[in-house]
C-alpha cells in the first residue's frame, strides 16, 4: 500500500535526536465521508479516513450508555483499575477492557461488515484464506482535564522499518469528536514514513474531527494519539480496536478472557476473529488444556466472511 518516504525533522545538534517534526502533508485532509471507496482513497493518501453512516446512531447511543453504566460499576469496584492506561499521560481518562463480556453489542460490532471489508483491503490475502484475528479492543473515554497521549504508532511488534501495515485499526466514535474534547490527533501522511519514534520527539498533529458514530480508519503505521480534553464538561468516548494477520500474536488472548457462556451461539466469523480455533492452516493442535466448554466453541479458521 505504501512506499517509504523520509519524514523531515528538525534536529537538536547536540544529540542529533529529532525534537520537533512539523506537519509535512500535501493536499487536502480527509473529511468525513459516507463513501467506502472515498475512505479507502483517503486511507491510501493520508493514512486515515473518517467514514460516517456505517452504523445506526441509536446503536451507538446504546453502546455509549452501556459503557457509561459499566464505568460506574467498575468505579465502585476499583476506580484505579480503569483510570488511565500504561500509555496514557495521566489517570483522568477511563479505559475499559473485556468488552466482549459486557454486552452483545460489543461482540456484534467486531464483525461489522465494513470493518471486515476494510481489514481485507488493508491487510490483503492470508495464506490458505485463514481468518484475521482481533488484536486488541478497549474503550477510551477522555474527560475534562485529560492530557494528550504521546504521539505513537500501534505497532506492537517492536519491529523497526516495518514495511507494511500489520494491523488494520479502527476507532468508533461514541461521542462527537471535537478538538476540545480530545479528538484523536493524527500526523497525516506519516503512514508512508519510516519513523523511528523517540520519546523526545514532538510531532505536530491535527485533530480527527468526526461526527458521532463515525469509524476512524488507520493502520499501525500511522502516528496518532488521543487528544487532550480541554473542555470543561464534555467527555469523548470511543471503541478502539485492531485486527491483525493470523500469524501475528494478538495483544489479547480472548479465549481465556471471554466467558465461554457469552460465546455460545456466536457466529463462526466472530469465533474465528477472537481466535477460537484449534487448527491453523495445515496443523491441528487440540486444546487439551482447555475445558470442554471452551473446546466446543472452536471452529475452523478458514475465513467465513
Ligand atoms: O482514544 C484515542 O483517541 C486513541 C488512543 C490510542 O491511540 C491508543 O490507545 O493507542
Ligand atoms: Fe494508538
Amino acid at each position: 500500500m505504501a512506499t517509504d518516504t523520509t519524514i523531515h525533522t528538525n534536529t537538536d545538534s547536540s544529540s542529533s535526536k529529532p525534537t520537533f517534526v512539523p506537519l509535512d502533508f500535501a493536499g487536502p485532509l480527509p473529511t468525513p465521508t459516507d463513501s467506502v471507496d472515498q475512505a479507502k482513497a483517503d486511507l491510501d493518501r493520508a493514512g486515515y479516513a473518517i467514514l460516517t453512516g456505517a452504523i445506526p446512531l441509536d446503536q451507538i447511543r446504546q453502546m455509549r450508555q452501556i459503557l457509561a453504566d459499566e464505568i460506574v460499576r467498575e468505579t465502585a469496584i476499583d476506580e484505579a483499575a480503569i483510570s488511565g492506561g500504561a500509555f496514557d499521560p495521566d489517570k483522568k481518562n477511563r479505559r475499559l477492557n473485556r468488552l466482549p463480556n459486557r454486552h452483545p453489542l460489543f461482540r456484534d460490532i467486531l464483525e461489522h461488515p465494513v470493518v471486515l471489508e476494510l481489514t481485507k483491503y488493508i491487510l490483503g490475502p492470508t495464506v490458505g484464506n485463514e481468518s484475521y484475528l482481533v488484536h486488541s479492543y478497549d474503550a477510551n473515554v477522555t474527560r475534562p482535564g485529560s492530557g494528550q497521549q504521546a504521539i505513537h504508532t500501534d505497532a506492537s511488534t517492536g519491529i523497526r522499518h516495518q514495511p507494511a501495515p500489520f494491523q488494520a485499526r479502527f476507532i468508533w466514535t461514541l461521542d462527537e469528536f471535537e478538538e476540545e474534547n480530545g479528538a484523536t490527533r493524527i500526523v497525516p501522511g506519516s503512514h508512508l514514513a519510516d519513523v523511528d519514534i523517540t520519546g523526545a520527539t514532538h510531532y505536530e498533529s491535527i485533530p480527527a474531527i468526526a461526527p458521532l458514530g463515525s469509524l476512524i480508519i488507520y493502520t499501525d503505521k500511522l502516528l496518532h494519539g488521543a487528544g487532550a480534553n480541554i473542555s470543561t464538561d464534555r467527555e469523548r468516548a470511543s471503541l478502539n480496536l485492531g485486527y491483525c494477520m493470523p500469524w501475528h500474536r494478538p495483544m489479547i488472548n480472548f479465549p481465556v478472557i471471554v466467558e465461554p457462556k457469552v460465546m455460545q451461539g456466536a457466529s463462526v466469523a466472530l469465533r474465528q476473529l477472537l481466535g477460537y480455533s484449534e487448527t491453523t492452516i495445515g496443523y491441528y493442535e487440540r486444546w487439551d488444556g482447555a475445558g470442554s466448554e471452551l473446546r466446543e466453541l472452536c471452529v475452523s479458521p478458514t475465513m467465513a466472511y
Side-chain angles (χ1 to χ4, degrees):
M1 188 163 106
T3 51
D4 281 358
T5 61
T6 309
I7 201 154
H8 300 292
T9 61
N10 288 347
T11 53
D12 165 354
S13 54
S14 59
S15 69
S16 79
K17 286 228 168 84
T19 53
F20 177 72
V21 184
L23 280 187
D24 181 15
F25 182 69
L29 293 171
T31 52
T33 175
D34 62 6
S35 155
V36 175
D37 287 342
Q38 181 62 50
K40 288 176 179 170
D42 290 343
L43 185 63
D44 288 346
R45 191 175 59 82
Y48 72 103
I50 302 168
L51 183 71
T52 56
I55 194 166
L57 286 186
D58 62 346
Q59 211 165 302
I60 286 287
R61 293 198 179 97
Q62 205 182 332
M63 288 193 288
R64 181 66 179 97
Q65 187 58 51
I66 297 159
L67 182 61
D69 293 346
E70 288 290 295
I71 288 175
V72 168
R73 202 168 65 85
E74 296 286 357
T75 301
I77 299 167
D78 182 2
E79 186 169 9
I82 59 162
S83 300
F87 299 103
D88 291 325
D90 52 50
K91 300 287 171 203
K92 298 215 174 91
N93 62 323
R94 296 288 175 262
R95 290 269 185 180
L96 205 68
N97 60 14
R98 300 174 57 256
L99 296 174
N101 283 327
R102 298 179 187 276
H103 197 275
L105 287 178
F106 291 145
R107 298 193 289 279
D108 293 347
I109 201 164
L110 292 172
E111 51 174 328
H112 189 291
V114 161
V115 167
L116 298 182
E117 178 184 343
L118 288 160
T119 296
K120 285 181 186 169
Y121 179 71
I122 291 167
L123 297 180
T126 62
V127 174
N129 201 28
E130 188 170 347
S131 173
Y132 306 108
L133 298 169
V134 177
H135 172 268
S136 44
Y137 185 23
D138 74 351
N140 188 15
V141 184
T142 72
R143 297 158 78 229
S146 304
Q148 185 186 317
Q149 187 184 32
I151 295 290
H152 62 279
T153 71
D154 288 339
S156 62
T157 52
I159 290 177
R160 299 277 159 95
H161 315 302
Q162 185 182 316
F166 290 166
Q167 278 187 71
R169 299 282 321 172
F170 302 96
I171 296 177
W172 287 103
T173 65
L174 301 191
D175 289 309
E176 188 178 355
F177 270 32
E178 297 172 309
E179 181 156 27
E180 293 70 30
N181 70 357
T184 309
R185 301 203 66 93
I186 279 171
V187 182
S190 57
H191 66 308
L192 298 178
D194 192 8
V195 185
D196 200 3
I197 300 173
T198 75
T201 307
H202 174 80
Y203 293 95
E204 196 179 358
S205 60
I206 54 102
I209 294 170
L212 176 71
S214 299
L215 181 66
I216 301 175
I217 308 146
Y218 64 107
T219 75
D220 62 334
K221 287 193 54 96
L222 186 81
L223 289 167
H224 69 282
N229 188 326
I230 57 168
S231 76
T232 51
D233 56 359
R234 271 175 299 147
E235 293 188 344
R236 187 237 72 176
S238 60
L239 299 179
N240 300 1
L241 62 161
Y243 296 73
C244 62
M245 284 294 215
W247 48 262
H248 185 302
R249 181 184 169 128
M251 200 171 88
I252 302 170
N253 194 346
F254 285 103
V256 295
I257 299 288
V258 177
E259 291 157 22
K261 67 174 186 308
V262 307
M263 291 299 291
Q264 275 154 20
S267 71
V268 171
L270 184 62
R271 294 178 204 209
Q272 294 176 335
L273 291 164
L274 291 178
Y276 290 83
S277 294
E278 293 174 307
T279 311
T280 58
I281 296 299
Y283 296 92
Y284 178 55
E285 292 285 347
R286 234 171 48 201
W287 286 15
D288 282 341
S292 59
E293 207 184 14
L294 197 51
R295 290 191 50 199
E296 278 160 18
L297 292 171
C298 284
V299 288
S300 147
T302 306
M303 220 184 273
Y305 49 92

